């Protein structure tokens, strides 16, 4: 890889979300970052049923709850979290259970 002297290293964007699994099958998704997140949606991949609300934003420190019921979520289920940063960039995060 060629580097130029005036290039600055690109810093990776850390996922600003954390999931609290301590009350399964009810989970809490929290914004632990420093910026507001817009249009957060949750999509279930695999077997199971998920109850979640409409797309919404989360300010830093805020959280949202969702319920996921599945026979074996660790083997058969993934939730995809989608959000937009204030810059308009879209991000996806795959969460395994």
């Amino acid at each position: 890889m060629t580097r130029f002297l005036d290039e600055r290293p690109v810093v990776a964007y850390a996922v600003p979300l954390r999931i609290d699994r301590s009350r399964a099958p009810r989970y809490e998704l929290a914004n632990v970052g420093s910026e507001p997140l817009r249009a957060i949606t949750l999509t279930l991949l695999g077997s199971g049923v998920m109850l979640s609300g409409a797309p919404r934003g989360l300010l830093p420190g805020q959280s949202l709850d969702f319920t996921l019921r599945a026979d074996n979520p660790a083997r058969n289920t993934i939730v995809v979290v989608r959000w937009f940063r204030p810059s308009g960039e879209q991000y996806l995060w795959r969460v395994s259970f």
Side-chain angles (χ1 to χ4, degrees), residues 8-72:
R8 293 186 178 165
V10 176
V11 178
Y13 172 62
V15 173
L17 300 165
R18 296 294 176 270
I19 292 191
D20 179 358
R21 296 171 167 90
S22 66
R23 298 179 296 135
R26 189 152 184 83
Y27 300 91
E28 180 182 65
L29 177 71
N31 179 357
V32 296
S34 61
E35 61 188 24
L37 306 177
R38 297 184 303 110
I40 297 171
T41 59
L42 305 174
T43 304
L44 177 67
L45 302 177
S47 62
V49 175
M50 183 174 62
L51 302 174
S52 65
R56 60 174 282 196
L58 286 178
L59 296 173
Q62 287 185 324
S63 61
L64 62 87
D65 291 334
F66 66 96
T67 301
L68 171 69
R69 297 201 183 272
D71 289 334
N72 191 347

